[in-house]
Amino acid sequence: MGVKVFVGVKVFVGVTVFVGVRVFVGVKVFVGVRVFVGVRVFVGVSVTVGVIVFVGVKVFVGVIVLVGVRVFVGVTVFVGVNVGVSVTVGVNVLVGVTVFVGVRVFVGVTVFVGVRVFVGVKVFVGVEVLVGVTVFVGVKVFVGVSVTVGVMVLVGVRVLVGVSVTVGVTVLVGVKVFVGVKVFVGVSVTVGVIVLVGVTVFVGVRVFVGVNVLVGVTVLVGVRV
């Protein structure tokens, strides 16, 4: 308990419980169960095999490799690469460049500003705000409110239930299922299958190649190809 500053290489096997403020610079290898409460600043490379429970504020710069389960409650600022399985509950704030490979389950509120590359399976329940460039390859299931400002590239399957507001450019290759209210302003290029159930408002240019099934109300202002 207290304040801990570490510089170097650390290898840990077992169970650790930490309460307080921690500053870490270097390489960390962790095997086991970890419970952390407080403020954490991390710069370097982190390899974790096991379970992580985190409550508080986290600032991370570097590379994360996670094999196991992660439960997060609080605010996180992440710049780097994330690989593995991530389970997050709470508020997630990401600023910078994020690369994620694996499976992610998120419940809560996420705010993202920057460049994001995601490969794998994502299940999201809550509110998502994306500002910048997003590249997604895989399967995404979203329930809640999604606000996107910028460029989004989706390759794979996307299922969205709720409210979606998009301002910018969207490129979709694959299958999209949408149930709810969608507002789009910008340029949309779609190759594949789209199923829309609900209300859609579209302003801009739309290019579509494939099969489109629409049930509900559609308002289109602009050019449609």
Side-chain angles (χ1 to χ4, degrees), residues 72-203:
F72 183 87
V73 180
V75 179
T76 179
V77 178
F78 180 85
V79 180
V81 179
N82 196 351
V83 180
V85 178
S86 176
V87 179
T88 303
V89 180
V91 180
N92 197 13
V93 180
L94 303 175
V95 180
V97 179
T98 300
V99 179
F100 187 93
V101 181
V103 179
R104 186 176 185 192
V105 179
F106 186 90
V107 180
V109 179
T110 180
V111 179
F112 182 85
V113 180
V115 179
R116 185 180 190 188
V117 179
F118 186 95
V119 180
V121 179
K122 182 179 182 183
V123 179
F124 187 95
V125 180
V127 180
E128 183 179 47
V129 180
L130 304 175
V131 180
V133 179
T134 300
V135 179
F136 186 91
V137 181
V139 179
K140 182 178 183 181
V141 179
F142 185 92
V143 180
V145 179
S146 175
V147 179
T148 302
V149 180
V151 179
M152 176 180 289
V153 179
L154 300 174
V155 180
V157 178
R158 185 185 185 193
V159 179
L160 195 147
V161 180
V163 179
S164 175
V165 179
T166 302
V167 180
V169 179
T170 299
V171 179
L172 172 64
V173 180
V175 178
K176 181 180 181 181
V177 179
F178 183 87
V179 180
V181 179
K182 183 179 183 181
V183 179
F184 185 91
V185 180
V187 179
S188 175
V189 179
T190 303
V191 180
V193 178
I194 297 181
V195 179
L196 300 176
V197 180
V199 179
T200 301
V201 179
F202 186 92
V203 180

